Amino acid sequence: MAIAPCRAASLALVLLAKEDATHSAEDGVSLLEQSISRISAAHDMLTSGLDKLLKEADHELPEDLKTQRRESIAALQPFADVIAEGSRSSVLERVASMPSLTAQSLYKVEPQVSAFLIDMTKNMFDVQKARDSARDEGMRDAIENAETVGRHIQLIAFNASIEAARIGDQGKGFAVIATEIRNLSGRTQTLLDTMSDYLRT
């Protein structure tokens, strides 16, 4: 969100430098401040801020996106340099003295930054989708393993009940425990089935 506005901001600087008479002086100052602020924020985000966000998201850009990022920084750099030099009041004079900035805004900043943002968003979406799919697959595997364990516990509890019945009165306490184990195993199985249904939908 900090990067995208730089496209309009760079063009606004160029237009303001050409002294568009349809704007009042107050509007021009406000637009100038906004443009400077947006270009600064975008440049900071592209050069360093993005690294922090990517680290927090545990995401690394592939090489082609790293190249696009460098190209976006290079495209925006002339504007960052113009607003960093001298006073803010002389920004428009510096922009006006560099006619190449019009072409830079239209043919470099706009297409390169737009392409980078689109491709980065798609890459992050695809990576997150793959992570979610892997997580869901892992959860399904864990549930299947738990279901297998649950079935074995039920079988053991059933065998324990048979042995308790075979022993007679001495196995009554053991039969009660075996029944409880079987009941708990059944409830666990129901819970696992419910979780599995949620993952499949």
Side-chain angles (χ1 to χ4, degrees):
M1 290 176 68
I3 298 170
C6 75
R7 299 169 298 175
S10 65
L11 190 56
L13 278 184
V14 170
L15 292 174
L16 284 171
K18 293 181 185 290
E19 214 37 68
D20 186 351
T22 60
H23 290 88
S24 69
E26 258 182 45
D27 289 340
V29 170
S30 174
L31 186 55
L32 174 62
E33 288 298 321
Q34 284 180 4
S35 298
I36 290 172
S37 174
R38 288 172 176 172
I39 289 170
S40 295
H43 189 262
D44 290 345
M45 180 57 70
L46 280 168
T47 53
S48 58
L50 191 57
D51 292 325
K52 182 183 175 187
L53 292 177
L54 291 170
K55 186 175 181 182
E56 287 173 359
D58 191 26
H59 185 86
E60 185 174 350
L61 296 177
E63 283 305 316
D64 60 329
L65 276 176
K66 287 179 182 177
T67 300
Q68 282 184 279
R69 180 185 179 183
R70 286 191 294 271
E71 289 171 350
S72 296
I73 293 169
L76 193 60
Q77 194 64 51
F79 289 95
D81 292 342
V82 162
I83 65 176
E85 294 170 4
S87 65
R88 287 201 169 195
S89 60
S90 62
V91 167
L92 294 181
E93 291 174 18
R94 294 194 296 276
V95 173
S97 70
M98 299 173 66
S100 61
L101 288 183
T102 301
Q104 185 75 12
S105 175
L106 291 172
Y107 304 117
K108 294 283 186 181
V109 174
E110 170 58 35
Q112 288 178 353
V113 171
S114 294
F116 173 65
L117 290 174
I118 291 168
D119 292 345
M120 182 177 67
T121 303
K122 183 179 183 311
N123 173 258
M124 295 186 81
F125 176 78
D126 290 345
V127 167
Q128 188 59 48
K129 190 175 176 182
R131 284 180 183 173
D132 290 346
S133 179
R135 185 201 63 206
D136 290 349
E137 188 63 36
M139 289 176 68
R140 277 192 288 271
D141 289 344
I143 287 172
E144 285 175 11
N145 290 335
E147 286 173 340
T148 301
V149 171
R151 284 192 292 273
H152 286 140
I153 290 172
Q154 283 183 328
L155 185 59
I156 290 168
F158 181 71
N159 287 336
S161 297
I162 292 172
E163 286 300 313
R166 190 177 64 79
I167 294 171
D169 288 342
Q170 293 175 348
K172 282 184 179 178
F174 192 58
V176 171
I177 294 171
T179 300
E180 281 301 311
I181 291 172
R182 193 165 57 246
N183 290 340
L184 283 172
S185 178
R187 290 205 296 272
T188 302
Q189 187 69 42
T190 301
L191 177 62
L192 289 170
D193 289 342
T194 302
M195 291 170 64
S196 186
D197 287 342
Y198 276 129
L199 282 174
R200 290 188 187 104
T201 56

